[in-house]
């Protein structure tokens, strides 16, 4: 079982537990967490060299994990037009209080 006390995913990043749904074992996810990789976002930005240095992850497995992460979290640049299009598609719930909505940045 994954050590949840170490799992410090921020609200904007997708937790590594998503990798379980893609076929990555609990043990491999725990190895990533033990090496300071807590989210798919941080995993997608990690270098192959970083993953190769993790004890217990062979090169093939590291490449598979990195590939899955990069498919899940697009790394790179996006145009402002695409960003605004994505932003419009997000669903927000209002508290009916603009001050609180601004504090929460539209996220409940």
């Amino acid at each position: 079982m994954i050590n949840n006390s170490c799992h410090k995913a921020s609200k904007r990043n997708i937790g590594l537990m998503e990798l379980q749904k893609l076929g990555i074992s609990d043990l491999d996810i725990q190895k990533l967490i033990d090496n300071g990789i807590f989210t798919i976002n941080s995993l997608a930005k990690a270098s192959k060299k970083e993953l190769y240095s993790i004890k217990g992850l062979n090169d093939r497995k590291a490449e598979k994990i990195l590939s899955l992460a990069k498919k899940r979290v697009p790394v790179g640049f996006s145009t402002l037009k695409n960003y605004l299009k994505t932003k419009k598609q997000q669903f927000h719930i209002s508290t009916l209080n603009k001050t609180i909505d601004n504090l929460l940045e539209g996220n409940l």
Side-chain angles (χ1 to χ4, degrees), residues 53-71:
S53 70
I54 295 175
K55 187 175 181 178
L57 281 184
N58 62 37
D59 294 353
R60 195 177 106 237
K61 194 180 291 186
E63 285 186 29
K64 177 184 176 187
I65 291 171
L66 191 58
S67 172
L68 288 171
K70 286 186 178 185
K71 285 179 185 174

Side-chain angles (χ1 to χ4, degrees), residues 80-94:
L80 179 60
K81 185 177 179 179
N82 286 340
Y83 172 76
L84 292 175
K85 183 178 176 183
T86 305
K87 194 76 171 161
K88 280 184 181 179
Q89 294 173 349
Q90 289 180 346
F91 179 72
H92 297 286
I93 299 173
S94 173

